[in-house]
Amino acid sequence: MIETWEQLSNQQPRAAAMLKNSLIKDRVAHAYLFEGERGTGKQDASMLLAKSLFCLDSIDGYLPCGVCTNCKKIEHRNHADVHIIEPDGLSIKKEQIKMLHEEFQKKAVESQKKIYIITHAHKMTASAANSLLKFLEEPHAGTTIILLTDQIHKMLSTILSRCQTISFTPLNPMELSKQLVQSGVPVKKAKLIASLTNSVDEGLALQEDEWFAQAQKIVVKLFEAIKNPVDGIMVVQEDWLPHFKEREQMEMGLLLLLNIYRDLLYVQLDRPDEMVYQDREDQFRQLAILHSQKQLANQMNEILEAKRKLSANMNPQLLMEQLVLNLQEGFTLV
């Protein structure tokens, strides 16, 4: 978790520099769009910005003290002038934005400022997004809105044009792996976890998650069964689908599977240091001879295509059964 400007500067130097500069020069925008992959610190940065704006005893114009009443209230998410809007179910609805409009008209309760943070902003319905445009076109003095998204391509261009966009980039996997090791994650697990998340906190949670430990076993089991399509589909039906129930879980399963094929390619290229399944190097060396480099590239493309289809809401069972058949076609016994 990012709690200080120093931490934000270490992990997101460009974003931190832009925000600090706007605070120091008192040129905070009325609307920001924080965009970047999940786990890159967007929400932490929005809360840090809120603390900096409301702190009663800030240092150098941007460093929140962390101990004043406002800082504590923001940290505990109960400051009357800091509003966080999250999806109601699968989307952010027009009624939620309508409530924001009503809040816009009210005076700030504890200060002269107001901040509105909308998480997963890409999940606004079309009517909600259009409703938000009114505020963006006619901003209220002392009011700042921060939109957070990991799918900027789903945002309306009219909203994008009215916000100052700040991009949050993924933490370098090697640096993330190093931080995970420093936090107690075994070296051979750190690389695998770092390939799946951009967050140290999420990585540490995965290390302790029994679901994740079981997920790794099921993915390897599926890979080993793929040479026989009947066995592969049986694993999908009996193990994969009952375990990977949610879309995010399915995405992680596909990434774990993709990493196996990538590791096999690294073995063939004699680059074992780049493998993420460090604890399975001997096993993968034996399996690598069953695939050509071209086949591995095609198989990785099939998994990426399955991930794309998942994002397009394809039926998970049909998707996985189709993937097993496509991967089996690229399997060669020698």
Side-chain angles (χ1 to χ4, degrees):
M1 179 179 292
I2 297 172
E3 297 180 332
T4 67
W5 281 102
E6 181 180 7
Q7 290 174 327
L8 184 62
S9 295
N10 288 337
Q11 295 192 28
Q12 298 291 340
R14 188 169 181 274
M18 292 174 68
L19 291 172
K20 284 193 294 185
N21 188 56
S22 65
L23 285 165
I24 293 169
K25 294 184 176 181
D26 195 23
R27 294 180 181 172
V28 175
H30 77 280
Y32 287 102
L33 176 70
F34 290 180
E35 71 87 17
E37 293 182 22
R38 188 168 62 91
T40 48
K42 300 183 296 297
Q43 184 149 3
D44 289 345
S46 69
M47 299 302 285
L48 188 57
L49 179 59
K51 285 183 181 180
S52 296
L53 288 170
F54 283 95
C55 181
L56 299 173
D57 193 22
S58 62
I59 304 166
D60 296 334
Y62 73 94
L63 293 170
C65 68
V67 295
C68 71
T69 304
N70 282 349
C71 283
K72 287 296 184 183
K73 285 185 176 180
I74 292 171
E75 184 176 334
H76 294 102
R77 297 195 174 196
N78 59 9
H79 194 290
D81 296 322
V82 178
H83 304 269
I84 301 176
I85 297 89
E86 299 178 325
D88 178 10
L90 297 176
S91 63
I92 295 173
K93 299 174 173 59
K94 183 178 180 179
E95 292 73 20
Q96 291 175 274
I97 304 301
K98 183 179 179 182
M99 288 177 63
L100 276 191
H101 281 295
E102 294 174 357
E103 283 292 334
F104 291 156
Q105 308 305 320
K106 299 176 183 177
K107 290 185 178 180
V109 176
E110 300 187 30
S111 67
Q112 299 302 310
K113 305 183 184 77
K114 282 187 176 183
I115 288 187
Y116 298 88
I117 300 170
I118 300 182
T119 68
H120 305 290
H122 58 277
K123 292 187 177 181
M124 284 188 288
T125 61
S127 58
N130 285 321
S131 181
L132 181 64
L133 280 173
K134 184 175 181 180
F135 164 75
L136 298 178
E137 292 169 348
E138 303 172 6
H140 293 245
T143 299
T144 299
I145 189 165
I146 306 172
L147 307 177
L148 312 179
T149 182
D150 56 10
Q151 298 186 47
I152 190 173
H153 59 282
K154 292 186 177 181
M155 301 289 296
L156 290 181
S157 59
T158 46
I159 288 181
L160 295 179
S161 65
R162 290 166 173 79
C163 296
Q164 179 178 338
T165 299
I166 296 182
S167 297
F168 287 68
T169 56
L171 192 62
N172 182 290
M174 291 183 64
E175 177 61 27
L176 177 56
S177 178
K178 179 181 176 182
Q179 291 188 28
L180 289 171
V181 171
Q182 291 173 346
S183 299
V185 177
V187 175
K188 290 189 175 182
K189 289 291 184 183
K191 274 195 171 184
L192 176 61
I193 292 174
S195 73
L196 301 170
T197 180
N198 298 303
S199 166
V200 173
D201 290 338
E202 287 187 9
L204 294 175
L206 286 176
Q207 165 64 11
E208 301 297 327
D209 191 347
E210 181 57 36
W211 178 91
F212 179 64
Q214 185 64 22
Q216 296 173 64
K217 295 177 183 178
I218 292 173
V219 170
V220 172
K221 182 177 181 180
L222 176 62
F223 168 75
E224 292 174 341
I226 281 174
K227 58 188 175 185
N228 184 319
V230 175
D231 292 342
I233 289 175
M234 186 175 296
V235 172
V236 165
Q237 295 174 346
E238 296 182 359
D239 298 283
W240 183 286
L241 293 173
H243 192 72
F244 299 98
K245 296 177 182 179
E246 305 295 332
R247 176 177 158 181
E248 287 187 357
Q249 293 176 337
M250 180 81 82
E251 287 181 345
M252 182 168 291
L254 290 172
L255 286 176
L256 285 167
L257 186 62
L258 179 67
N259 278 332
I260 291 180
Y261 286 93
R262 186 179 288 130
D263 276 4
L264 294 178
L265 185 59
Y266 285 143
V267 168
Q268 292 194 357
L269 296 173
D270 197 26
R271 291 156 57 184
D273 291 345
E274 297 183 47
M275 293 177 60
V276 297
Y277 283 94
Q278 292 282 314
D279 56 345
R280 294 182 178 272
E281 182 178 347
D282 291 341
Q283 177 190 9
F284 284 7
R285 284 193 178 280
Q286 297 176 18
L287 293 170
I289 62 175
L290 302 177
H291 305 257
S292 70
Q293 291 182 18
K294 182 178 180 180
Q295 287 168 344
L296 290 172
N298 289 337
Q299 288 163 324
M300 285 189 284
N301 283 332
E302 292 290 352
I303 297 171
L304 290 172
E305 177 62 14
K307 191 170 179 292
R308 186 194 66 76
K309 290 177 179 177
L310 181 65
S311 297
N313 296 318
M314 182 175 177
N315 177 275
Q317 180 170 343
L318 178 61
L319 182 150
M320 288 305 301
E321 290 178 354
Q322 185 180 89
L323 177 61
V324 166
L325 295 176
N326 290 341
L327 292 176
Q328 194 275 336
E329 290 177 0
F331 198 99
T332 304
L333 291 176
V334 295

